[in-house]
Amino acid sequence: LHQEKRADAVHELLGMLKEKEADILAKSMGIGGGVCTMSEIAEEYGISSSRVYQIREKAIRRLKYTPRLIAAGFDWDTKDLAE
């Protein structure tokens, strides 16, 4: 049950981001599938790996102190967000 609650929280949080930010963050952290490298994501979007990293970091900053994420028990140090 706790895992389901966490998964719901994660999807709710991703919904707070712009579509591209949410997709890049999810893919880089393995949410809903396998983990993709920055290079793989960059190739998919036609942008540089550096730009993917910037977008990912911006998304993390936007969510970092979101009470819902903290309540879900997410730890940014271990990147424990995957379902």
Side-chain angles (χ1 to χ4, degrees):
L1 181 61
H2 178 68
Q3 196 68 7
E4 287 178 23
K5 183 178 176 182
R6 259 177 104 167
D8 290 344
V10 167
H11 289 288
E12 182 180 323
L13 288 163
L14 289 175
M16 296 168 64
L17 299 171
K18 294 176 183 174
E19 186 176 340
K20 185 185 243 183
E21 290 173 335
D23 188 51
I24 287 173
L25 184 60
K27 287 179 178 178
S28 70
M29 298 182 91
I31 300 169
V35 176
C36 295
T37 66
M38 297 292 170
S39 296
E40 292 169 334
I41 298 168
E43 187 174 321
E44 179 180 335
Y45 278 98
I47 58 179
S48 70
S49 295
S50 297
R51 184 65 187 133
V52 170
Y53 179 80
Q54 290 170 347
I55 293 168
R56 180 182 175 275
E57 291 305 304
K58 180 180 178 185
I60 289 171
R61 280 193 309 274
R62 290 181 66 195
L63 296 177
K64 193 165 189 173
Y65 299 107
T66 303
R68 184 89 164 100
L69 191 60
I70 294 167
F74 178 71
D75 181 356
W76 284 107
D77 294 327
T78 62
K79 296 179 177 70
D80 182 23
L81 189 58
E83 300 172 320

